[in-house]
Amino acid sequence: LFEDSDNLTFCYNSTAIEGVQNYSPNNYIEYFKGSLPIILTVSPGGELSPDGIPDRDCDGCSTAQTDHAITIANSISDQLYNKTACRPSVIINHLHRAKLDANREIIEGADYIPESELAWKYFHHFVQDAQQHLNGNFEQGILIDITGNSHQAELVELGYLLTSDQLRLPDNDLNALSSKSSIDGLKNDNVNNEDLSDLIRGNFSLGTFLDSRNHSSIPSINTPSPAEGQGYFRGGYITEQYGSISSGSIDAVQMAAPLNGTRDSEANAISFGESFADALIDFMETNYFEESIGVTSGCIPTYLNGIAAQKGQLIRILDISGKEIETARKELAPGIYIFQYEFGVKKVSVLE
């Protein structure tokens, strides 16, 4: 409970429910509380434009829409589920950017509009709840803020709070700026003891993993920094507020997708989301964890009856109505089986 300068009181249920959709009043903000050490945010990208909420008209307020950002976020979540049997936490602003930009501080983002301020507060409460949930279950994690860019280079721009000039520095000079980056936590604790330059533009950086999936990115080993005069988004309010700059164990990266090939159609947005999820898994399993994310998250047990579960087939457990209630993995040859399943520990035994 807190109040702003206009005595607008914000009340909320402090505990969102894991594994279901949670909403703010009027469904302006959506929050799925997931089980992976990953948080996805979509701060501008919604389509709702209620007549009762005035448009933001502050000096410098950007109202340009980010097409298909929500589609990309949902596709990333679906692909992560397909690969790990669990979902990330996802926070989505469904209001049009003319009504709310949650990637700005509240004065610019809501422009003193009471309904927009309330939605802004719910959005950031949900992000904070997701962070607390992640911190309570994992030693490390990452937040990806999904937005778009319309720069001429048409690259996927990954923002770590470093400026174009800073990215153009030699590796040794760039490494000295780790405490100014939004992945300082990862730099201080990563599997291979990589330095900052390696993590953001080396062989095992997120940008390089995206490059390998035919989505040219910056920074990456192929495009380590913007050219002079080239547009580049370094990361915004969310990346700064929720990344590990100077402290913390949850990193943040702003991902600004270009229009062509990623956000120009729903099909391309879905395809890009799948590629981004695959790249993110590679990035995290290379730098954060020594085992698969599914195993780290407890979504896929390390062993089921002595068999390495991450190498097995995904088994979906349904109730009598056909609703999926749990998943597990087991290595099996094609065939028809009768299973015994132990809930909670997710142990699968083959009876016949």
Side-chain angles (χ1 to χ4, degrees):
L1 174 70
F2 60 88
E3 298 180 350
D4 66 16
S5 58
D6 294 324
N7 296 316
L8 170 69
T9 303
F10 172 49
C11 302
Y12 54 80
N13 181 346
S14 61
T15 305
I17 301 172
E18 182 177 355
V20 301
Q21 307 298 126
N22 300 270
Y23 291 93
S24 69
N26 300 311
N27 296 340
Y28 294 154
I29 309 299
E30 176 184 352
Y31 172 31
F32 181 87
K33 189 171 185 176
S35 305
L36 292 175
I38 299 169
I39 302 169
L40 307 178
T41 59
V42 181
S43 41
E47 298 290 342
L48 296 179
S49 189
D51 292 337
I53 302 180
D55 287 351
R56 299 160 54 238
D57 64 355
C58 54
D59 290 341
C61 277
S62 176
T63 59
Q65 191 63 320
T66 305
D67 295 334
H68 292 298
I70 295 175
T71 302
I72 291 172
N74 288 332
S75 177
I76 294 171
S77 178
D78 288 345
Q79 183 73 347
L80 288 171
Y81 177 77
N82 290 337
K83 293 297 181 72
T84 71
C86 277
R87 291 188 181 275
S89 292
V90 185
I91 301 95
I92 296 173
N93 167 29
H94 284 286
L95 284 172
H96 193 281
R97 196 176 186 184
K99 309 296 183 181
L100 172 67
D101 185 348
N103 197 25
R104 299 290 188 272
E105 47 76 32
I106 192 169
I107 294 175
E108 181 181 347
D111 196 21
Y112 298 102
I113 302 165
E115 296 88 346
S116 299
E117 289 183 333
L118 183 61
W120 187 99
K121 291 172 181 177
Y122 264 100
F123 183 96
H124 288 278
H125 162 64
F126 286 152
V127 177
Q128 292 160 15
D129 185 86
Q131 279 204 312
Q132 291 171 5
H133 179 62
L134 195 162
N135 275 325
N137 291 279
F138 303 96
E139 294 182 0
Q140 292 175 282
I142 192 167
L143 180 151
I144 305 293
D145 183 43
I146 300 165
T147 186
N149 82 79
S150 57
H151 296 140
Q152 188 174 1
E154 296 187 340
L155 300 171
V156 179
E157 297 175 9
L158 303 171
Y160 302 93
L161 297 181
L162 300 169
T163 67
S164 297
D165 286 341
Q166 289 171 333
L167 288 175
R168 284 191 285 268
L169 292 171
D171 285 352
N172 287 340
D173 294 335
L174 180 61
N175 292 336
L177 300 176
S178 179
S179 64
K180 299 182 183 297
S181 80
S182 57
I183 62 165
D184 188 44
L186 177 61
K187 182 268 173 186
N188 292 323
D189 185 7
N190 66 82
V191 171
N192 301 304
N193 295 316
E194 302 281 9
D195 221 323
L196 180 66
S197 59
D198 300 308
L199 294 169
I200 67 173
R201 64 188 184 196
N203 285 311
F204 303 114
S205 64
L206 181 57
T208 299
F209 283 124
L210 276 169
D211 278 358
S212 70
R213 290 170 170 82
N214 298 316
H215 290 287
S216 297
S217 304
I218 185 171
S220 68
I221 197 165
N222 296 313
T223 313
S225 62
E228 290 284 351
Q230 179 180 332
Y232 168 72
F233 289 147
R234 60 187 287 268
Y237 180 82
I238 289 173
T239 309
E240 184 173 359
Q241 289 295 308
Y242 301 111
S244 62
I245 181 170
S246 297
S247 64
S249 59
I250 300 178
D251 305 300
V253 181
Q254 179 177 279
M255 188 274 286
L259 182 63
N260 290 334
T262 61
R263 296 188 297 106
D264 50 358
S265 71
E266 183 175 7
N268 281 343
I270 292 172
S271 177
F272 171 70
E274 292 170 349
S275 295
F276 186 88
D278 290 342
L280 183 59
I281 289 172
D282 285 347
F283 176 68
M284 296 193 74
E285 291 183 351
T286 301
N287 298 298
Y288 284 83
F289 310 115
E290 296 186 22
E291 56 189 1
S292 77
I293 296 177
V295 171
T296 298
S297 306
C299 304
I300 304 172
T302 305
Y303 290 96
L304 294 172
N305 291 345
I307 298 173
Q310 63 268 34
K311 296 181 180 179
Q313 288 77 26
L314 181 67
I315 299 171
R316 290 185 167 88
I317 313 301
L318 310 179
D319 64 16
I320 194 169
S321 70
K323 179 182 177 183
E324 181 179 299
I325 51 178
E326 276 196 349
T327 60
R329 286 186 182 266
K330 188 170 182 64
E331 193 168 80
L332 296 168
I336 299 174
Y337 302 87
I338 296 176
F339 296 103
Q340 177 177 298
Y341 182 74
E342 296 180 39
F343 286 90
V345 297
K346 299 185 178 182
K347 181 178 180 181
V348 177
S349 301
V350 179
L351 300 181
E352 294 182 19

